[in-house]
Amino acid sequence: MDGAVVLDKPRGITSFGAVKRVRHILGIRKIGHLGTLDPMGTGVLPLLLGRATRLARFFLGHRREYVATIRFGWSTSTYDAEGEAAGETVPAAVESKELEGLLREFTGEIMQAPPPVSAKKVDGVRAYKLARERRPVELDPVAVTIEELELLEVDGPCATVRCLCSAGTYVRSLAHDLGRAVGCGAHVSELRRTIVGDFSLEDALTPDELKARMEDDRMEDVLVPPADLLPEIPVQRVDEVGAARIRFGQDFRVSPFGTARDSRLVKAVGPEGKLLCLGKAVSPRLFHPFIVFG
């Protein structure tokens, strides 16, 4: 079972917990997720299965989209609803016009400090471990890009926003910074991820739905084969002779026509339509297989 499935992660479990559940459902061990989603977060959690896990490195920079509800009035230790209240709680009601102006200031490339409760490392130790021990955590701001930041709704002290952003962006930090800008504190009360790269919520299945597909022997309906992953990398069809060369780790040539000839990477696909390898250019039109599927 090689390929990818898109899980609609339920609230209340970690991304690792979601992987563990899917391992039990599918009966396979080799599964990895593409981008951690907070325990309180729900939505798109792409999973690579079997030999497709070898492709994980190529998904790291893919952008994400979230829909978040931000509660103004107080901040928390985790920057979301699961943390302890930090500071004074004040009555808050935000105005759409004011908030839209603030959202524009947070659009584009910005410097953002990760939440103290996060998977970032401080001197080799995960920040969340230090925070649980009530040890001070200081994380340096990093550059992130927020492509789109749209206000969807304002309801009293709560605002719902859609955020299209680069990998590494923390919506919790965005909410915390917006609260400071408004002057009353804020945190994320609901978070749903709707897009990771080419994976969207439309293709996502809950664990129960995935289990039903497995029991009905209909995994082919939801499993994205390796050859269809990473559509930005051009495909080169090879014949049996070329397939044999790839299996022995030998270089192979691509057609002088099409986009593969000018690409740094290529997906070599065999006569049966299965991904044989990812090839890396070593000279014009000549590629070396460096991730081989067989």
Side-chain angles (χ1 to χ4, degrees):
M1 194 180 294
D2 301 323
V5 295
V6 187
L7 189 70
D8 186 349
K9 187 187 87 67
R11 181 167 179 157
I13 62 172
T14 65
S15 297
F16 177 76
V19 169
K20 188 176 180 180
R21 186 176 296 185
V22 174
R23 282 176 179 157
H24 178 73
I25 292 171
L26 302 184
I28 61 175
R29 290 289 305 167
K30 206 167 186 180
I31 300 179
H33 66 75
L34 300 176
T36 301
L37 190 56
D38 293 336
M40 71 160 287
T42 66
V44 174
L45 184 66
L47 304 177
L48 295 181
L49 315 180
R51 290 178 294 180
T53 55
R54 302 174 189 176
L55 303 176
R57 74 181 86 166
F58 300 100
F59 293 92
L60 297 179
H62 286 188
R63 64 184 184 175
R64 286 94 159 99
E65 183 185 76
Y66 300 87
V67 174
T69 299
I70 301 172
R71 175 49 160 103
F72 291 86
W74 72 92
S75 59
T76 72
S77 58
T78 57
Y79 298 179
D80 63 22
E82 297 193 340
E84 299 176 358
E88 184 181 355
T89 300
V90 297
V94 289
E95 298 291 335
S96 297
K97 192 171 184 180
E98 175 191 9
L99 196 52
E100 286 175 344
L102 280 175
L103 294 182
R104 285 193 290 271
E105 295 180 15
F106 284 90
T107 304
E109 184 173 305
I110 63 172
M111 297 301 293
Q112 184 187 75
V117 179
S118 68
K120 295 287 186 179
K121 288 186 176 181
V122 180
D123 296 328
V125 181
R126 298 290 185 186
Y128 63 79
K129 292 184 178 179
L130 298 175
R132 287 172 185 167
E133 297 171 1
R134 298 191 180 278
R135 293 163 61 184
V137 178
E138 292 186 12
L139 297 172
D140 294 331
V142 296
V144 300
T145 301
I146 298 180
E147 297 181 31
E148 299 175 14
L149 196 50
E150 178 187 6
L151 180 63
L152 301 179
E153 182 183 20
V154 172
D155 183 10
C158 296
T160 301
V161 301
R162 180 185 66 86
C163 178
L164 182 63
C165 56
S166 63
T169 304
Y170 283 91
V171 179
R172 288 183 287 145
S173 291
L174 173 64
H176 184 78
D177 292 342
L178 283 170
R180 289 197 298 186
V182 172
C184 62
H187 61 276
V188 171
S189 60
E190 299 285 343
L191 181 68
R192 187 152 177 79
R193 189 158 66 186
T194 53
I195 291 175
V196 175
D198 296 308
F199 304 106
S200 71
L201 201 57
E202 296 176 356
D203 306 314
L205 298 176
T206 66
D208 287 342
E209 290 171 335
L210 187 63
K211 183 179 180 181
R213 295 294 181 100
M214 185 66 179
E215 291 174 345
D216 294 342
D217 197 23
R218 292 189 296 133
M219 282 298 297
E220 71 278 0
D221 296 339
V222 297
L223 184 66
V224 183
D228 293 343
L229 297 173
L230 302 169
E232 66 274 18
I233 299 178
V235 171
Q236 175 62 48
R237 298 277 178 175
V238 299
D239 57 18
E240 288 293 353
V241 174
R245 292 185 62 85
I246 288 171
R247 293 188 184 101
F248 282 105
Q250 298 174 350
D251 295 348
F252 62 98
R253 292 194 175 275
V254 302
S255 168
F257 309 103
T259 57
R261 62 178 182 177
D262 300 319
S263 179
R264 185 176 64 87
L265 297 175
V266 68
K267 292 188 294 187
V269 175
E272 297 179 356
K274 294 184 178 181
L275 181 63
L276 298 176
C277 78
L278 251 61
K280 182 163 50 178
V282 292
S283 66
R285 294 184 49 219
L286 187 65
F287 286 77
H288 179 73
F290 73 104
I291 298 181
V292 179
F293 286 77

